[in-house]
Amino acid sequence: MMAFPQLRHPFTTSALHPPGSTSVLYQGKTLTLSTTGADDELLIRAEDLTRINGFEVKAEGVCLGDLCIPLQDTFNVTLADQNWFNLSAFARFIGQPFVADTQNRVWSFAEIPAKRESTLSAAMAPEFELTDRKGAVIRMSDFKGKKALIVTWSSW
Amino acid sequence: MPVWQRIYEEIDNPDFVIICAAQDTGGEAVAGPIFDAAGATYIQIVDENHRISSLFNFVNVPSSAWIDETGRIVRIDEGTYSQIHAISDGQETITFGNDVYTPALKDWIENGENSPYINAPEQVSENIRTHSKEQLKADAAFCLGNFFRVHGHNDLADHYWALAQTLNPESINFFRQNLTLTEEGSAGNTFRQRISEYISQGKDYYRPLDI
């Protein structure tokens, strides 16, 4: 079946990230974290949370705009006198699916259901941020005041 | 693509944008030349991770959404053909597409909320496909596969692409994207058999165009 292996895998093998690092994929972006805790859960420094998904740890909870998730005991982990935020526990709590290749330390997070439902259920276009072919960042919200046709296609 | 460019030029309205997103793991190398050949001046995105399909719950290409000035979706999820296309192998000619979508689009651009071609909010909500947590997880698996692919970790790429298809068997996008890289391509017997099964289960891989 693999008639076009050069197309299927045209890339030369390269390191996924520096040794000991972890890659986190979310909303089309890849973030490399230089320090994480254990391998079977994704433990990050609290300050990295905002860089990953925009949430921020506050006294009232883990918040993104008006959405605040009450802090849970499972979110905070202390290992070797180091405090960590358990992002995988947080994702499970808010029902955010993810797929992890723990052996290679790569975690891929899906969209957060609560965020999706708040827009699509109201028939509002979801916000996104993608880079166009000119290198410009394109956001759905850039087009308020204009009509937009969003159309997908493919070379296949 | 050339047809969308012609339509974009015909509409020629500064308050209208086309955001055209190639759902292509092949990236700029495969999608870029097609945009360039069309002389595209609208917004062009090469969306290797199929994010637009994920966000709008599209399962196939070409698919579309109309977004009004307030950000509200007024029409969504239908086979978005700009004209009638004909493909011939020398013996048989297959036609697909339609000649009613483009006039409807132009009517909406001109008449806005008075256009008969926009859908009521409840109809739009009904037309937005559901996207289960399993399907969201499939999106994450697909992205993970792409990550491994661009780093040359081929077995892992294949593993997570297969997982994506297992988690979301309704995604024609994932299925055909993978088929593209086989000898028979994305429209061969495997595709036709799959579509036949899909339709026999009462599913639409394009929502019927209601214009």
Side-chain angles (χ1 to χ4, degrees), chain A residues 31-63:
Chain A
L31 196 63
T32 302
L33 304 179
S34 56
T35 54
T36 54
D39 289 336
D40 53 348
E41 293 284 331
L42 181 54
L43 307 184
I44 64 170
R45 297 188 189 280
E47 56 265 33
D48 284 330
L49 181 66
T50 307
R51 292 201 297 147
I52 293 171
N53 61 14
F55 278 86
E56 188 178 355
V57 180
K58 297 180 176 180
E60 59 267 39
V62 187
C63 304

Side-chain angles (χ1 to χ4, degrees), chain A residues 1 7-9 14-15 101 108 111 116 122-123 125 132-133 144-153 155-156, chain B residues 14-15 17 19 21 23-24 28 44 51 54 57 63-65 67 69 71 73 140 149 151 153 158 160 178 180:
Chain A
M1 288 285 279
L7 274 179
R8 189 173 189 86
H9 300 300
S14 60
D101 188 307
S108 180
E111 295 286 330
R116 284 173 59 91
D132 74 3
R133 292 185 67 219
K144 285 277 174 67
K146 295 177 186 284
K147 295 185 180 75
L149 169 70
I150 295 183
V151 60
T152 62
W153 68 282
S155 66
W156 33 271
Chain B
D15 292 325
V17 295
I19 303 169
Q23 308 297 280
D24 243 308
E28 173 68 21
Q44 306 148 52
R51 285 204 67 224
S54 170
N57 300 354
S63 294
S64 68
I67 315 296
E69 295 89 339
I73 301 168
R149 180 180 188 241
H151 288 87
H153 294 248
D158 287 344
Y160 288 108
N178 217 7
T180 306

Side-chain angles (χ1 to χ4, degrees), chain A residues 1-5 7-17 23 25 27-28 30 94-101 104 106-113 116 120-134 138 140 143-156, chain B residues 1 4 14-24 28 32 34-36 43-44 51-52 54-57 61-73 101 108-109 112 128 131 133 136-137 140 144 147-154 156 158 160 173 176-178 180-183 186:
Chain A
M1 288 285 279
M2 298 297 176
F4 307 115
L7 274 179
R8 189 173 189 86
H9 300 300
F11 301 98
T12 53
T13 304
S14 60
L16 301 171
H17 38 233
S23 292
L25 319 181
Q27 292 189 326
T30 302
I94 63 174
Q96 180 188 20
F98 61 86
V99 180
D101 188 307
N104 291 292
V106 187
W107 296 68
S108 180
F109 288 84
E111 295 286 330
I112 297 171
R116 284 173 59 91
L120 280 181
S121 64
M124 297 300 290
E127 178 65 320
F128 60 79
E129 189 175 295
L130 288 164
T131 303
D132 74 3
R133 292 185 67 219
K134 295 176 181 173
I138 304 295
M140 190 67 245
F143 304 105
K144 285 277 174 67
K146 295 177 186 284
K147 295 185 180 75
L149 169 70
I150 295 183
V151 60
T152 62
W153 68 282
S154 74
S155 66
W156 33 271
Chain B
M1 292 306 104
W4 284 121
D15 292 325
F16 169 64
V17 295
I18 293 178
I19 303 169
C20 200
Q23 308 297 280
D24 243 308
E28 173 68 21
I34 299 174
F35 274 129
D36 289 341
I43 297 166
Q44 306 148 52
R51 285 204 67 224
I52 292 293
S54 170
L55 286 166
F56 288 88
N57 300 354
V61 292
S63 294
S64 68
W66 296 2
I67 315 296
D68 75 7
E69 295 89 339
T70 68
R72 183 171 297 279
I73 301 168
Y101 187 86
W108 172 58
I109 303 305
I128 296 173
H131 206 63
K133 287 189 178 175
L136 282 173
K137 191 170 182 177
L144 188 55
F147 178 82
F148 283 120
R149 180 180 188 241
V150 300
H151 288 87
H153 294 248
N154 304 334
L156 286 167
D158 287 344
Y160 288 108
N173 282 331
R176 291 189 72 195
Q177 176 76 82
N178 217 7
T180 306
L181 306 173
T182 65
E183 188 169 14
S186 64

Side-chain angles (χ1 to χ4, degrees), chain B residues 1-50:
Chain B
M1 292 306 104
V3 182
W4 284 121
Q5 180 60 27
R6 178 172 55 74
I7 293 166
Y8 187 56
E9 291 172 4
E10 286 172 3
I11 292 175
D12 189 26
N13 184 329
D15 292 325
F16 169 64
V17 295
I18 293 178
I19 303 169
C20 200
Q23 308 297 280
D24 243 308
T25 57
E28 173 68 21
V30 297
I34 299 174
F35 274 129
D36 289 341
T41 58
Y42 43 72
I43 297 166
Q44 306 148 52
I45 294 171
V46 180
D47 182 8
E48 290 98 335
N49 287 315
H50 296 198

